[in-house]
Amino acid sequence: MIKATLKSTGAYLPKREVSNTELEHLMDTSDAWIQERSGIQSRRFADLTSETCSSMGAKAAAQAMSAASWNRNAPDLLIFSTLSPDYYFPGAGVLAQRELDLPNIPCLDIRAQCSGFIYGLSVARAYIESGLAQRVLLICSEAQSALMELSTRGRNISVLFGDAAAAVCLEAAPQPQHQPRFGLMDCLIHAEGAFAEELVLKNPGTRNSPICRPEMIETGEMLPYMNGPAVFKHATKRFHEALTSLAQRTNIPPSQWDWFIPHQANQRISMQVAKSLSFPEEKVISNIHHRGNTTSASIPLALHEALTEGRIQPGDLIAMAAFGSGFTWGAALLQY
Ligand code: COA
């Protein structure tokens, strides 16, 4: 049987680090409030005069492709996940394709927000296992500081999120005989649109005509909205469900996972989920303290950093799970 395997990772972080103290000068918030509620101490913000969602994604992808020894003709599918694309349309995938000078391969954009990486893995897996693709480049990039208002009005969102990009190269490989634990072993995804408006950026959207009106800036209609407590409640429940289901489907209990990489939404959510699975805290990979919530980039960024630091070793079993706007959620089990 053909499996999707992780060949390499890459990442790009904007240089500008924004501390909680810096945010204290811009809005009514405090370092103590942010750290206590989320675990975040600082995050990176892109230089929006020169960095874009697609350009950061292309840089992360170039690093991943180089690490995989892939030339420009190697990938036969590009998947791009973001909630903060350069343009309303076309998607950021074709812009990254152009920047990477890739040939005319299909570019598929994914809009599953914080679950984008898991959704992307699931699509890549389907293409690879069906034989439709041999090598898939999956890019996750977020320039979400462009969407946030650094003011007291926008504080419940703007203290949590950061900018970053990460990419993975996935390759088809035959599963060796007598080695059931190999490559991307399972990936499950879900959604529940009933809660679409609990974490949402409605404008510009085609429900409004014209899609942009000057007063929308004044009224805050162009800012993201989040019902924080509702998101927290659903996230902890869905993370737990997805991971339990992953353990059942693969017949590999959490006690046998070497690592758990949660979507970095909030340190409290990650720890609550780990506890609910009796999974040891020290095996939960977290980078939220200095990255914030980087939405779809968060899992591949944490994966890249853990690989670079040598924490994850060849053969390790890595469980991953995400939850986000939609609501969408999912989980995956990968043997590295
Ligand atoms: N600084 C200081 N105070 C803030 C604040 C900020 N940045 N943002 C909100 N507050 C205030 C609120 O206005 C509220 O004040 P009030 O009691 O006077 O009305 C108070 O803090 C509590 O707000 P609440 O939203 O109930 O806080 P909370 O304890 O639920 O924590 C979150 C807020 C957002 C940190 C928390 O709900 C959370 O983590 N939710 C999940 C978010 C998430 O993971 N999103 C990404 C999903 S992918």
Side-chain angles (χ1 to χ4, degrees), residues 28 39 41 63 73 76 98 115 136 143 149 170-171 205 207 212 215-216 222 229 237 240 250 265 285 300 316 320 327:
D28 180 11
Q41 296 168 26
Q63 190 187 46
N73 295 310
D76 38 25
R98 182 173 70 190
S115 309
V136 178
E149 188 174 79
L170 299 157
E171 259 186 25
R207 284 201 184 192
C212 260
E215 68 271 18
M216 284 178 161
M222 298 192 67
K237 176 174 158 217
H240 180 84
T250 55
I285 291 180
D316 281 358
M320 301 171 273
F327 292 143

Side-chain angles (χ1 to χ4, degrees), residues 29 33 37 114 155 159 226 228-229 231 263 265-266 269 293 323:
T29 192
W33 191 96
R37 299 297 214 285
C114 296
R155 69 181 178 178
V159 301
M226 178 174 70
V231 172
H263 161 54
N266 184 315
I269 295 179
N293 179 345
F323 177 89

Side-chain angles (χ1 to χ4, degrees), residues 167-216:
V168 296
C169 293
L170 299 157
E171 259 186 25
Q175 176 160 4
Q177 270 190 337
H178 314 301
Q179 194 183 327
R181 296 183 180 187
F182 180 75
L184 184 54
M185 295 167 60
D186 195 14
C187 191
L188 56 102
I189 52 176
H190 293 280
E192 189 176 23
F195 299 100
E197 280 78 20
E198 297 292 21
L199 180 47
V200 65
L201 177 52
K202 290 185 178 171
N203 300 301
T206 54
R207 284 201 184 192
N208 276 305
S209 180
I211 62 170
C212 260
R213 292 188 307 278
E215 68 271 18
M216 284 178 161

Side-chain angles (χ1 to χ4, degrees), residues 1-321:
M1 171 148 191
I2 296 299
K3 289 288 203 183
T5 59
L6 177 69
K7 182 88 176 155
S8 66
T9 61
Y12 178 79
L13 278 174
K15 283 203 173 53
R16 189 174 159 223
E17 184 161 14
V18 178
S19 67
N20 291 346
T21 316
E22 191 174 335
L23 295 181
E24 282 176 354
H25 296 295
L26 300 167
M27 61 189 79
D28 180 11
T29 192
S30 69
D31 176 43
W33 191 96
I34 301 169
Q35 285 209 48
E36 187 201 310
R37 299 297 214 285
S38 68
I40 300 166
Q41 296 168 26
S42 66
R43 72 289 290 142
R44 301 290 181 98
F45 281 176
D47 174 354
L48 297 169
T49 61
S50 59
E51 292 169 318
T52 71
C53 171
S54 66
S55 74
M56 294 192 295
K59 286 196 171 79
Q63 190 187 46
M65 287 175 65
S66 160
S69 303
W70 283 9
N71 64 26
R72 59 182 287 278
N73 295 310
D76 38 25
L77 170 67
L78 185 158
I79 304 173
F80 200 110
S81 167
T82 187
L83 66 56
S84 46
D86 299 38
Y87 301 141
Y88 192 91
F89 70 83
V94 294
L95 305 179
Q97 175 199 34
R98 182 173 70 190
E99 193 145 335
L100 292 162
D101 192 28
L102 303 181
N104 296 345
I105 58 169
C107 294
L108 187 61
D109 287 82
I110 292 200
R111 296 294 309 271
Q113 299 65 249
C114 296
S115 309
F117 179 66
I118 303 290
Y119 267 64
L121 280 183
S122 142
V123 175
R125 176 190 186 219
Y127 266 82
I128 287 175
E129 289 191 0
S130 65
L132 285 172
Q134 298 293 308
R135 286 170 295 277
V136 178
L137 175 60
L138 169 57
I139 306 176
C140 300
S141 179
E142 302 293 354
Q144 42 203 0
S145 60
L147 305 170
M148 304 184 311
E149 188 174 79
L150 299 179
S151 70
T152 300
R153 180 171 75 170
R155 69 181 178 178
N156 78 324
I157 295 267
S158 56
V159 301
L160 297 178
F161 292 86
D163 299 336
V168 296
C169 293
L170 299 157
E171 259 186 25
Q175 176 160 4
Q177 270 190 337
H178 314 301
Q179 194 183 327
R181 296 183 180 187
F182 180 75
L184 184 54
M185 295 167 60
D186 195 14
C187 191
L188 56 102
I189 52 176
H190 293 280
E192 189 176 23
F195 299 100
E197 280 78 20
E198 297 292 21
L199 180 47
V200 65
L201 177 52
K202 290 185 178 171
N203 300 301
T206 54
R207 284 201 184 192
N208 276 305
S209 180
I211 62 170
C212 260
R213 292 188 307 278
E215 68 271 18
M216 284 178 161
I217 295 170
E218 199 64 36
T219 57
E221 287 172 80
M222 298 192 67
L223 295 177
Y225 164 80
M226 178 174 70
N227 179 345
V231 172
F232 196 102
K233 191 180 92 188
H234 285 267
T236 44
K237 176 174 158 217
R238 297 307 191 183
F239 265 111
H240 180 84
E241 264 176 28
L243 288 160
T244 306
S245 166
L246 187 73
Q248 281 163 357
R249 286 163 50 134
T250 55
N251 211 14
I252 300 179
S255 57
Q256 291 183 26
W257 303 340
D258 295 295
W259 303 102
F260 168 42
I261 309 184
H263 161 54
Q264 311 283 307
N266 184 315
Q267 188 66 3
R268 284 191 302 154
I269 295 179
S270 300
M271 289 309 153
Q272 200 164 310
V273 171
K275 196 171 167 198
S276 75
L277 295 165
S278 303
F279 191 76
E281 264 186 33
E282 62 278 10
K283 290 182 168 190
V284 180
I285 291 180
S286 279
N287 65 2
I288 193 164
H289 307 92
H290 295 291
R291 305 284 178 252
N293 179 345
T294 58
T295 299
S296 69
S298 92
I299 295 179
L301 178 63
L303 174 65
H304 174 78
E305 291 179 345
L307 284 167
T308 309
E309 289 160 13
R311 289 180 78 192
I312 298 177
Q313 292 295 316
D316 281 358
L317 270 187
I318 310 159
M320 301 171 273

